[in-house]
Structure formats: C-alpha cells, structure tokens
Amino acid sequence: MEKRNTIQKQLVLDAVFRLANHPTAEEVYAEVARSHPTVSKATVYRNLGSLSEDGLLRHIKMPGGADRFDHMLLEHHHIICTQCGCFADAPASGSAALDEAVARQTGYSGVSHDIVFRGLCPECAKAGKA
C-alpha cells in the first residue's frame, strides 16, 4: 500500500529541516503550529513516525529523554550535554566496521546502531557547571 504525501507530512518535514537542531516532537509541533495552528499534535507525531519509517528523517531514540529527529540522513553520531541538554552532531568513524563486527559475532543481519555520546558542552564547562 502506497503512503500518501500529505500537506501535513510536508509541513512536518519542512519544520524539521528549518529547525535543523535535532528537534523533539514537541519542538516540531510548536514550529508547525506557529504558521498552521489547526494542525494537531497527534498529526505531527504520526507524520514524524511515518517520515522516519519512510527514511526521510532519522529517529533518534533517547532513553530517559524525549526522542529527537534529524534531517541529516548520512551516517553520523550525536553528543548531548549532561548539564544543559544541548544536542549536536559528533564526528566519529568506523560505524560500518562496528556494524559488521557485531553482525559477525552475533549472527544477526541488518545490524545498525545509534550512538549518543554524553559530556559537558564547552559553554557549560566554561561557566563551571560541572
């Protein structure tokens, strides 16, 4: 069954690209509602899920926190500040090799991963918020 490309889906996708900061679903909803207040929160959440399933957005699951959505689909990792919650891209290499090693060692296929590093961002470190 082919999924429809609705106006609401495009609004949600546009909002994630406009925000370009790994927004949470709540942040995406607030961005969409600024210019389209009749779009419901449920519609935004449903479309975020659909866009992620379709491979148009990356869904970053955050244990103990609000999940985030990324418009950048190339393989990369993330880092979050343990003090202020700043969330950013983190350069790292060897992702494919890690997936292959885990697949070999476990017998699983289609192995993938998301890595979120944690630490104190430069601004919080400078402010002495350790």
Side-chain angles (χ1 to χ4, degrees):
M1 180 172 131
E2 186 176 328
K3 292 186 179 181
R4 291 183 6 214
N5 191 12
T6 65
I7 292 170
Q8 292 90 347
K9 187 181 281 190
Q10 191 61 52
L11 291 172
V12 170
L13 185 61
D14 291 346
V16 174
F17 270 81
R18 216 173 19 260
L19 290 167
N21 65 351
H22 310 93
T24 64
E26 283 292 322
E27 291 168 334
V28 175
Y29 169 70
E31 178 69 15
V32 170
R34 283 186 329 113
S35 55
H36 296 84
T38 59
V39 176
S40 74
K41 190 180 285 193
T43 297
V44 169
Y45 278 60
R46 184 175 56 254
N47 281 293
L48 283 168
S50 178
L51 289 162
S52 297
E53 287 172 13
D54 294 346
L56 298 173
L57 290 178
R58 182 182 227 180
H59 183 178
I60 306 163
K61 293 178 176 53
M62 299 292 299
D67 289 358
R68 294 178 175 267
F69 296 88
D70 196 347
H71 69 287
M72 192 164 70
L73 301 176
L74 295 173
E75 190 63 40
H76 66 286
H77 304 298
H78 299 94
I79 190 163
I80 187 168
C81 178
T82 54
Q83 185 65 41
C84 71
C86 177
F87 195 86
D89 293 330
S93 61
S95 292
L98 179 60
D99 290 343
E100 291 167 12
V102 169
R104 266 194 320 277
Q105 292 172 15
T106 64
Y108 280 59
S109 60
V111 174
S112 67
H113 67 278
D114 287 315
I115 294 177
V116 178
F117 297 95
R118 288 171 176 67
L120 204 57
C121 74
E123 290 78 21
C124 288
K126 188 169 38 175
K129 295 183 178 179

